[in-house]
Amino acid sequence: MAFPTETVYGLGGDARERAAIDRIFIAKGRPADHPLIVHIASAALLEDWATDIPNAALRLADAFWPGPLTMILRRNAKVLDAVTGGQDTIGLRVPSHPVAQALLRAFGDGIAAPSANRFGHVSPTTAAHVLAELSDSVDLILDGGACEVGIESTIVDLSSRHPRILRPGHLGRDAVETVLGVGLDDDVGDAPRVSGALASHYAPRTPVRLLETSSLERLWREESKVRRIGVIALETRDDRGVDWRGLSADPTAYAKALYAQLRALDERKLDLILIELPPPTRVWEAVRDRLTRAAGRG
């Protein structure tokens, strides 16, 4: 079934059942070596899935669970290879959405749940998005309204000596470093494979081009003369020749609206989507990551 979390809607199946895992991969068209994140009801279930759990993981769980944090830990022997993509690590998360919490507590075990969309496409933030993309590939959709965060969880790798962020998210780098009391390692060359780390991901079917603010004015005027374009920018404009979407200059509000706006523009079957890049600062790190990957096909 598809169900809401505070980040995006997930496509869930019993993480102990190989047939359920296989159905997730088929529904999404997901490569078999791409690991899944297992959602659990609370940190009390960590040892059911992970082993050699470091104190750092317990501190992060105490500070941020339930919430938009996924931790990469050493898997225990009972975890299916299909869940981890054959790796010796597992991604675990405790979502805060009340519908997700109710589902997990009623189920009583882990639910493997990547985003409820075709692999590589824009993640869904409403039940309508799931229905439009997966249709009869999913047995049931739990409608919990629009997701509060709007982009995927922060992934922190705690399976090696030095903690590191493998996917930025709503939970910022500064907050994680404050709880751990150490800086995060920037070297991710030998890191485990994780969800959403490919160069092209979170992508609409329409080509996307990213622009610095200084180039936006000139290029959208040039492109709109020869192509049907959409624009996502940090200001609102009224231009009859361009489908212009102004998003908030606040990174939290921008992230919440981003995927819905990308999907809306994609439905217009435009020739090109131009997106103004937000500032290269830590508070925009997760948004810039998603934008860069969304443009990976362009």
Side-chain angles (χ1 to χ4, degrees):
M1 69 170 65
F3 65 96
T5 75
E6 71 278 18
T7 57
V8 299
Y9 273 70
L11 179 61
D14 185 346
R16 302 286 188 192
E17 177 59 54
R18 179 59 191 263
I21 301 304
D22 287 346
R23 284 197 62 193
I24 291 174
F25 279 89
I26 292 170
K28 284 184 63 69
R30 188 181 181 94
D33 65 347
H34 210 63
L36 304 175
I37 292 171
V38 175
H39 295 63
I40 54 179
S42 74
L45 300 178
L46 267 175
E47 292 186 352
D48 292 348
W49 298 91
T51 189
D52 300 328
I53 301 169
N55 287 333
L58 302 179
R59 295 200 300 274
L60 289 178
D62 185 61
F64 302 121
W65 276 359
L69 167 69
T70 295
M71 291 191 283
I72 305 298
L73 301 166
R74 294 289 172 186
R75 59 181 274 195
N76 70 28
K78 296 182 290 184
V79 177
L80 296 174
D81 284 345
V83 170
T84 69
Q87 300 178 110
D88 61 0
T89 55
I90 184 169
L92 295 168
R93 176 160 119 75
V94 177
S96 63
H97 195 291
V99 173
Q101 274 290 314
L103 174 64
L104 287 161
R105 292 185 185 280
F107 183 64
D109 205 352
I111 296 178
S115 56
N117 56 279
R118 301 295 180 188
F119 183 72
H121 292 179
V122 181
S123 298
T125 55
T126 68
H129 294 163
V130 179
L131 183 62
E133 186 146 354
L134 293 184
S135 185
D136 57 1
S137 295
V138 59
D139 297 320
L140 179 69
I141 301 173
L142 298 180
D143 188 348
C147 297
E148 183 64 26
V149 172
I151 59 173
E152 297 77 7
S153 61
T154 304
I155 298 181
V156 178
D157 178 24
L158 298 168
S159 66
S160 59
R161 181 177 300 179
H162 301 293
R164 49 194 173 178
I165 287 182
L166 304 186
R167 180 178 72 186
H170 176 75
L171 178 61
R173 185 179 299 267
D174 290 344
V176 175
E177 290 180 339
T178 297
V179 170
L180 294 180
V182 297
L184 293 163
D185 194 344
D186 290 328
D187 182 7
V188 297
D190 61 345
R193 297 188 305 278
V194 296
S195 296
L198 299 179
S200 175
H201 218 80
Y202 318 114
R205 293 171 178 82
T206 308
V208 170
R209 184 173 177 184
L210 305 182
L211 301 169
E212 298 294 343
T213 303
S214 59
S215 303
L216 181 63
E217 180 83 17
R218 174 179 58 83
L219 284 173
W220 76 260
R221 290 188 182 280
E222 290 178 358
E223 292 290 351
S224 63
K225 293 176 182 177
V226 294
R227 294 200 275 185
R228 297 178 62 245
I229 70 167
V231 175
I232 293 178
L234 292 170
E235 65 176 43
T236 300
R237 291 195 182 191
D238 184 13
D239 186 288
R240 294 182 180 180
V242 175
D243 195 333
W244 189 289
R245 308 294 172 110
L247 297 190
S248 174
D250 172 71
T252 299
Y254 185 110
K256 182 177 180 179
L258 174 60
Y259 286 165
Q261 293 295 351
L262 279 175
R263 282 180 170 272
L265 288 174
D266 210 22
E267 290 171 1
R268 295 289 310 279
K269 300 188 184 303
L270 302 168
D271 299 314
L272 179 67
I273 299 172
L274 300 178
I275 302 180
E276 177 185 7
L277 271 172
T281 58
R282 279 195 170 192
V283 295
W284 286 101
E285 181 181 14
V287 167
R288 286 177 63 95
D289 173 81
R290 301 310 189 274
L291 294 178
T292 299
R293 298 181 195 280
R297 293 179 180 176

XYZ file of all heavy atoms in Angstrom, residues 169-232:
489
model
N 18.636 16.531 3.562
C 17.184 16.602 3.648
C 16.751 17.721 4.565
O 17.527 18.624 4.896
N 15.507 17.656 5.004
C 14.929 18.692 5.862
C 15.743 18.881 7.142
O 15.923 20.005 7.613
C 13.492 18.303 6.199
C 12.801 19.231 7.141
N 12.348 20.467 6.752
C 12.500 19.107 8.454
C 11.773 21.066 7.785
N 11.856 20.270 8.821
N 16.223 17.776 7.685
C 17.088 17.851 8.865
C 18.481 18.263 8.417
O 19.160 17.535 7.692
C 17.134 16.490 9.568
C 18.020 16.382 10.797
C 17.568 17.330 11.888
C 18.044 14.941 11.311
N 18.920 19.446 8.824
C 20.141 20.015 8.293
C 21.416 19.474 8.905
O 21.427 18.884 9.985
N 22.500 19.702 8.191
C 23.825 19.255 8.602
C 24.207 19.823 9.971
O 24.758 19.126 10.814
C 24.827 19.701 7.533
C 26.244 19.237 7.730
C 27.122 19.741 6.592
N 26.675 19.237 5.302
C 27.149 18.128 4.742
N 28.092 17.427 5.354
N 26.701 17.733 3.569
N 23.906 21.091 10.205
C 24.282 21.724 11.474
C 23.615 21.036 12.653
O 24.231 20.837 13.704
C 23.915 23.207 11.462
C 24.775 24.026 10.512
O 25.836 23.522 10.093
O 24.383 25.159 10.186
N 22.335 20.679 12.503
C 21.604 20.027 13.590
C 22.199 18.664 13.919
O 22.332 18.295 15.093
C 20.131 19.890 13.216
N 22.563 17.910 12.879
C 23.166 16.584 13.095
C 24.521 16.719 13.787
O 24.827 16.000 14.746
C 23.301 15.835 11.754
C 24.048 14.514 11.954
C 21.927 15.579 11.145
N 25.335 17.658 13.320
C 26.666 17.845 13.908
C 26.575 18.294 15.363
O 27.396 17.883 16.201
C 27.453 18.860 13.088
C 27.866 18.328 11.717
C 28.655 19.336 10.895
O 28.556 20.556 11.188
O 29.373 18.912 9.959
N 25.581 19.102 15.682
C 25.418 19.562 17.060
C 25.136 18.396 17.998
O 25.717 18.295 19.088
C 24.278 20.593 17.149
O 24.625 21.741 16.381
C 24.028 21.012 18.587
N 24.256 17.486 17.595
C 23.929 16.335 18.432
C 25.106 15.379 18.546
O 25.401 14.855 19.628
C 22.690 15.598 17.880
C 22.490 14.259 18.598
C 21.458 16.461 18.037
N 25.811 15.161 17.454
C 26.941 14.220 17.480
C 28.172 14.815 18.147
O 29.033 14.076 18.643
C 27.292 13.790 16.056
C 26.253 12.955 15.312
C 26.744 12.599 13.920
C 25.905 11.686 16.092
N 28.284 16.126 18.138
C 29.459 16.775 18.724
C 30.697 16.675 17.866
O 31.806 16.959 18.332
N 30.527 16.283 16.607
C 31.656 16.191 15.662
C 31.191 16.667 14.293
O 29.990 16.669 13.987
C 32.195 14.742 15.533
C 32.756 14.243 16.850
C 31.105 13.798 15.028
N 32.140 17.069 13.459
C 31.819 17.411 12.083
C 31.561 16.161 11.261
O 32.091 15.083 11.551
N 30.747 16.277 10.235
C 30.441 15.151 9.367
C 31.480 15.027 8.267
O 31.950 16.025 7.723
C 29.048 15.320 8.757
C 27.906 15.226 9.776
C 26.635 15.806 9.189
C 27.682 13.781 10.189
N 31.843 13.798 7.959
C 32.842 13.520 6.933
C 32.268 13.839 5.558
O 31.149 13.431 5.235
C 33.239 12.043 7.012
C 34.499 11.721 6.228
O 34.901 12.544 5.380
O 35.081 10.651 6.460
N 33.005 14.556 4.729
C 32.559 14.893 3.377
C 32.956 13.848 2.338
O 32.517 13.906 1.189
C 33.121 16.249 2.951
C 32.489 17.403 3.720
O 31.307 17.283 4.086
O 33.186 18.402 3.967
N 33.798 12.883 2.725
C 34.253 11.851 1.799
C 33.220 10.719 1.754
O 33.068 9.968 2.707
C 35.614 11.304 2.247
C 36.155 10.256 1.283
O 35.544 10.057 0.207
O 37.180 9.622 1.614
N 32.498 10.602 0.636
C 31.472 9.567 0.501
C 31.821 8.585 -0.614
O 30.971 7.846 -1.102
C 30.089 10.199 0.240
C 29.655 11.053 1.422
C 30.080 11.017 -1.048
N 33.094 8.558 -0.983
C 33.509 7.726 -2.106
C 33.251 6.245 -1.927
O 32.920 5.544 -2.883
N 33.404 5.729 -0.698
C 33.205 4.300 -0.454
C 31.916 4.046 0.318
O 31.756 3.000 0.947
C 34.389 3.735 0.329
C 34.549 4.396 1.697
O 33.941 5.468 1.914
O 35.278 3.833 2.547
N 30.987 4.976 0.277
C 29.761 4.884 1.071
C 28.823 3.811 0.521
O 28.862 3.474 -0.671
C 29.057 6.229 1.077
N 27.961 3.270 1.358
C 26.938 2.336 0.875
C 26.019 2.999 -0.133
O 25.822 4.219 -0.127
C 26.156 1.978 2.156
C 27.063 2.325 3.292
C 27.894 3.474 2.818
N 25.454 2.209 -1.036
C 24.432 2.719 -1.933
C 23.184 3.063 -1.127
O 22.777 2.308 -0.242
C 24.076 1.674 -2.999
C 25.218 1.308 -3.914
C 24.728 0.408 -5.054
N 24.036 -0.795 -4.565
C 24.653 -1.893 -4.152
N 25.988 -1.958 -4.161
N 23.959 -2.929 -3.737
N 22.578 4.193 -1.436
C 21.366 4.604 -0.733
C 20.353 5.162 -1.719
O 20.696 5.493 -2.861
C 21.659 5.672 0.355
C 22.552 5.104 1.446
C 22.276 6.927 -0.260
N 19.125 5.276 -1.268
C 18.059 5.813 -2.106
C 18.343 7.258 -2.496
O 18.809 8.052 -1.679
C 16.728 5.743 -1.356
O 16.362 4.408 -1.088
N 18.035 7.590 -3.739
C 18.085 8.975 -4.188
C 19.463 9.549 -4.389
O 19.623 10.771 -4.388
N 20.465 8.708 -4.602
C 21.828 9.209 -4.731
C 22.338 9.188 -6.169
O 23.491 9.523 -6.416
C 22.769 8.397 -3.847
N 21.492 8.798 -7.117
C 21.927 8.769 -8.509
C 21.978 10.177 -9.083
O 21.283 11.085 -8.616
C 20.973 7.900 -9.339
C 20.867 6.427 -8.927
C 19.867 5.715 -9.826
C 22.229 5.746 -8.978
N 22.776 10.363 -10.117
C 22.926 11.692 -10.721
C 21.614 12.208 -11.279
O 21.337 13.410 -11.246
C 23.985 11.643 -11.817
N 20.788 11.310 -11.804
C 19.463 11.684 -12.286
C 18.420 11.044 -11.392
O 18.326 9.821 -11.282
C 19.256 11.215 -13.726
O 17.933 11.470 -14.155
N 17.638 11.889 -10.720
C 16.619 11.383 -9.802
C 15.633 12.516 -9.548
O 15.901 13.678 -9.863
C 17.273 10.929 -8.493
C 16.658 9.690 -7.920
N 16.963 8.432 -8.370
C 15.735 9.506 -6.943
C 16.282 7.527 -7.679
N 15.516 8.166 -6.808
N 14.480 12.200 -8.977
C 13.465 13.216 -8.656
C 13.135 14.047 -9.894
O 12.873 15.247 -9.804
C 13.953 14.147 -7.533
C 14.655 13.446 -6.397
C 16.006 13.660 -6.139
C 13.956 12.566 -5.576
C 16.638 13.008 -5.091
C 14.594 11.911 -4.518
C 15.931 12.141 -4.288
O 16.563 11.492 -3.253
N 13.154 13.418 -11.058
C 13.127 14.165 -12.324
C 11.761 14.105 -13.002
O 11.174 13.024 -13.139
C 14.186 13.614 -13.273
N 11.245 15.239 -13.460
C 10.075 15.217 -14.341
C 10.464 14.683 -15.710
O 11.651 14.570 -16.026
C 9.668 16.685 -14.416
C 10.935 17.436 -14.189
C 11.742 16.607 -13.233
N 9.472 14.366 -16.516
C 9.760 13.911 -17.878
C 10.207 15.074 -18.764
O 10.932 14.886 -19.721
C 8.530 13.223 -18.456
C 8.200 11.902 -17.740
C 6.851 11.350 -18.180
N 6.583 10.064 -17.530
C 6.102 9.932 -16.312
N 5.815 11.010 -15.590
N 5.891 8.738 -15.780
N 9.755 16.268 -18.420
C 10.166 17.458 -19.160
C 11.611 17.807 -18.826
O 11.985 17.785 -17.654
C 9.271 18.658 -18.777
O 7.903 18.283 -18.916
C 9.576 19.865 -19.650
N 12.454 18.112 -19.822
C 13.841 18.506 -19.521
C 13.892 19.713 -18.591
O 13.080 20.633 -18.698
C 14.420 18.837 -20.898
C 13.571 18.065 -21.860
C 12.189 18.044 -21.273
N 14.862 19.689 -17.693
C 15.046 20.760 -16.711
C 16.410 21.393 -16.919
O 17.411 20.703 -17.124
C 14.948 20.217 -15.268
C 15.379 21.278 -14.251
C 13.534 19.741 -14.973
N 16.443 22.727 -16.856
C 17.714 23.444 -16.927
C 17.811 24.387 -15.735
O 16.884 25.165 -15.467
C 17.817 24.246 -18.220
C 19.162 24.941 -18.402
C 19.256 25.580 -19.776
N 20.515 26.300 -19.937
C 20.820 27.021 -21.015
N 19.966 27.086 -22.017
N 21.964 27.655 -21.092
N 18.922 24.311 -15.001
C 19.133 25.145 -13.832
C 19.899 26.407 -14.216
O 20.826 26.350 -15.029
C 19.908 24.378 -12.760
C 19.323 23.041 -12.313
C 20.178 22.433 -11.217
C 17.882 23.204 -11.841
N 19.515 27.525 -13.606
C 20.118 28.815 -13.956
C 20.463 29.608 -12.701
O 19.717 29.592 -11.719
C 19.146 29.657 -14.781
C 18.651 29.084 -16.101
C 17.515 29.930 -16.636
C 19.781 29.002 -17.099
N 21.574 30.292 -12.757
C 21.858 31.274 -11.723
C 20.933 32.471 -11.921
O 20.467 32.740 -13.028
C 23.320 31.720 -11.798
C 24.337 30.606 -11.574
C 24.302 30.031 -10.171
O 23.734 30.688 -9.265
O 24.843 28.927 -9.969
N 20.685 33.210 -10.859
C 19.771 34.347 -10.924
C 20.157 35.348 -12.003
O 19.301 35.884 -12.715
C 19.726 35.051 -9.557
O 19.334 34.100 -8.560
C 18.765 36.215 -9.561
N 21.452 35.559 -12.167
C 21.930 36.552 -13.132
C 21.599 36.184 -14.579
O 21.549 37.053 -15.456
C 23.450 36.731 -12.989
O 24.120 35.495 -13.202
N 21.363 34.889 -14.845
C 21.088 34.443 -16.216
C 19.604 34.255 -16.497
O 19.208 34.099 -17.655
C 21.801 33.115 -16.488
O 23.191 33.215 -16.264
N 18.796 34.241 -15.458
C 17.395 33.866 -15.618
C 16.634 34.799 -16.556
O 15.944 34.354 -17.473
C 16.707 33.831 -14.248
C 15.235 33.426 -14.263
C 15.089 31.998 -14.766
C 14.625 33.569 -12.870
N 16.756 36.094 -16.338
C 15.995 37.072 -17.117
C 16.247 36.913 -18.615
O 15.311 36.835 -19.425
C 16.365 38.491 -16.680
C 15.633 39.591 -17.410
C 14.266 39.857 -16.823
O 14.013 39.438 -15.678
O 13.437 40.463 -17.526
N 17.504 36.836 -18.999
C 17.839 36.753 -20.418
C 17.364 35.440 -21.033
O 16.761 35.433 -22.122
C 19.358 36.893 -20.600
C 19.833 36.688 -22.035
C 21.335 36.875 -22.141
N 22.085 35.993 -21.280
C 22.399 34.724 -21.602
N 22.001 34.217 -22.759
N 23.110 33.989 -20.767
N 17.605 34.333 -20.332
C 17.331 33.038 -20.936
C 15.847 32.727 -21.025
O 15.401 32.136 -22.017
C 18.073 31.945 -20.166
C 19.570 31.889 -20.468
C 20.285 30.907 -19.559
C 19.809 31.496 -21.920
N 15.061 33.104 -20.009
C 13.644 32.776 -20.150
C 12.999 33.595 -21.263
O 12.087 33.123 -21.954
C 12.892 32.902 -18.835
C 12.541 34.261 -18.298
C 13.186 34.946 -17.339
C 11.421 35.076 -18.664
N 12.574 36.142 -17.075
C 11.475 36.250 -17.872
C 10.388 34.945 -19.584
C 10.536 37.274 -17.975
C 9.444 35.969 -19.686
C 9.518 37.121 -18.888
N 13.479 34.800 -21.486
C 12.936 35.590 -22.588
C 13.338 34.978 -23.936
O 12.525 34.897 -24.874
C 13.410 37.031 -22.488
C 12.785 37.800 -21.319
C 13.122 39.280 -21.361
N 12.571 39.982 -20.223
C 11.306 40.371 -20.112
N 10.454 40.106 -21.108
N 10.884 41.019 -19.045
N 14.593 34.539 -24.052
C 15.055 33.926 -25.297
C 14.323 32.614 -25.578
O 13.850 32.372 -26.696
C 16.564 33.685 -25.220
C 17.407 34.947 -25.263
C 18.888 34.634 -25.134
O 19.232 33.439 -24.979
O 19.698 35.574 -25.190
N 14.258 31.756 -24.567
C 13.657 30.441 -24.761
C 12.159 30.538 -25.045
O 11.616 29.742 -25.827
C 13.899 29.575 -23.520
C 15.349 29.178 -23.293
C 15.839 28.176 -24.316
O 15.024 27.648 -25.095
O 17.060 27.913 -24.339
N 11.463 31.476 -24.418
C 10.017 31.567 -24.581
C 9.616 32.002 -25.999
O 8.464 31.840 -26.399
C 9.429 32.537 -23.549
O 9.917 33.857 -23.739
N 10.562 32.520 -26.774
C 10.277 32.911 -28.154
C 10.172 31.699 -29.073
O 9.490 31.761 -30.110
C 11.366 33.845 -28.675
C 11.409 35.206 -27.976
C 12.595 36.023 -28.487
C 12.694 37.365 -27.784
N 13.884 38.148 -28.223
N 10.828 30.602 -28.705
C 10.893 29.448 -29.608
C 10.345 28.160 -28.992
O 10.120 27.191 -29.716
C 12.350 29.210 -30.060
C 12.839 30.369 -30.907
C 13.276 28.998 -28.869
N 10.146 28.162 -27.669
C 9.681 26.939 -27.022
C 8.641 27.253 -25.950
O 8.585 28.365 -25.438
C 10.858 26.186 -26.384
C 11.849 25.646 -27.387
C 12.687 24.547 -26.798
N 13.849 25.054 -26.077
C 14.794 24.267 -25.556
N 14.690 22.962 -25.642
N 15.833 24.799 -24.944
N 7.838 26.239 -25.633
C 6.885 26.365 -24.535
C 7.627 26.033 -23.234
O 8.080 24.903 -23.048
C 5.707 25.422 -24.725
C 4.876 25.704 -25.963
C 3.740 24.707 -26.123
N 2.803 24.769 -25.001
C 2.597 23.787 -24.131
N 3.290 22.654 -24.232
N 1.729 23.919 -23.158
N 7.773 27.011 -22.378
C 8.582 26.794 -21.188
C 7.812 27.105 -19.909
O 6.814 27.840 -19.905
C 9.875 27.651 -21.214
C 9.552 29.142 -21.023
C 10.664 27.417 -22.489
C 10.789 29.966 -20.740
N 8.299 26.504 -18.840
C 7.859 26.831 -17.501
C 9.052 27.334 -16.713
O 10.199 27.008 -17.042
N 8.785 28.127 -15.698
C 9.849 28.688 -14.875
C 9.499 28.497 -13.400
O 8.356 28.741 -12.992
C 10.063 30.194 -15.153
C 11.095 30.780 -14.189
C 10.499 30.419 -16.593
N 10.465 28.042 -12.622
C 10.358 28.030 -11.159
C 11.415 28.996 -10.644
O 12.609 28.832 -10.933
C 10.566 26.627 -10.574
C 9.404 25.708 -10.991
C 10.670 26.685 -9.053
C 9.547 24.279 -10.499
